[in-house]
Amino acid sequence: MTLKIVKGQVSRIVVTLSELANPNNPSNWLFVFKKDQGGQVYKTYLTDVSASPENYNEFTLDEDELSMMTGDYEYRAYQMPDGGSEDESIGLLMETGKARVVLPTITPVAYKRTQTQTKGYERQ
């Protein structure tokens, strides 16, 4: 399943990282996004906000903080020994997948047309 990230908004990301995670390490989750075309890399630490982390992991990603370009990405999620380093080589790779950054959808405004009748002339 492709993760959907909406440009300029806070997006919900749900994955399963804990099932493979080392329980002795702290849960510092580094997400690395690499754009398919161009190869730009964006890295960010995300905090697990799930109600049941033993079953699933839920994160909120504020795209404004990363300023990602729209398009397709490969993502990698790492369990890191600390929360400061962006060097993924010291972490444990937990999951890889695809992500897509999209523009927000604009809800079209529906106008209701009311019919008016005009009288050309009346016969007397």
Side-chain angles (χ1 to χ4, degrees):
M1 181 169 94
T2 301
L3 301 180
K4 180 181 175 183
I5 300 168
V6 181
K7 188 138 182 72
Q9 295 182 4
V10 175
S11 298
R12 180 176 172 245
I13 295 175
V14 178
V15 291
T16 53
L17 304 178
S18 295
E19 65 187 0
L20 299 174
N22 182 344
N24 299 324
N25 281 352
S27 292
N28 297 305
W29 303 108
L30 175 66
F31 280 75
V32 179
F33 297 92
K34 183 177 180 186
K35 191 155 179 16
D36 286 353
Q37 291 183 333
Q40 294 86 350
V41 176
Y42 303 89
K43 298 179 181 184
T44 186
Y45 274 92
L46 298 177
T47 302
D48 189 352
V49 295
S50 65
S52 189
E54 62 278 357
N55 296 324
Y56 68 96
N57 303 97
E58 180 178 348
F59 303 92
T60 54
L61 172 67
D62 186 352
E63 192 282 324
D64 271 343
E65 293 177 6
L66 294 178
S67 298
M68 298 169 76
M69 294 186 294
T70 58
D72 294 323
Y73 290 79
E74 175 191 29
Y75 77 87
R76 297 183 311 272
Y78 295 89
Q79 182 184 25
M80 301 296 283
D82 63 30
S85 175
E86 290 188 349
D87 179 10
E88 63 261 24
S89 68
I90 64 171
L92 297 172
L93 179 61
M94 295 290 107
E95 183 171 296
T96 62
K98 299 298 284 180
R100 176 170 287 161
V101 177
V102 297
L103 293 173
T105 56
I106 299 172
T107 306
V109 178
Y111 293 99
K112 184 177 180 183
R113 182 177 171 184
T114 58
Q115 262 190 328
T116 58
Q117 291 182 346
T118 58
K119 293 182 182 179
Y121 63 92
E122 279 187 36
R123 261 192 171 161
Q124 301 265 342

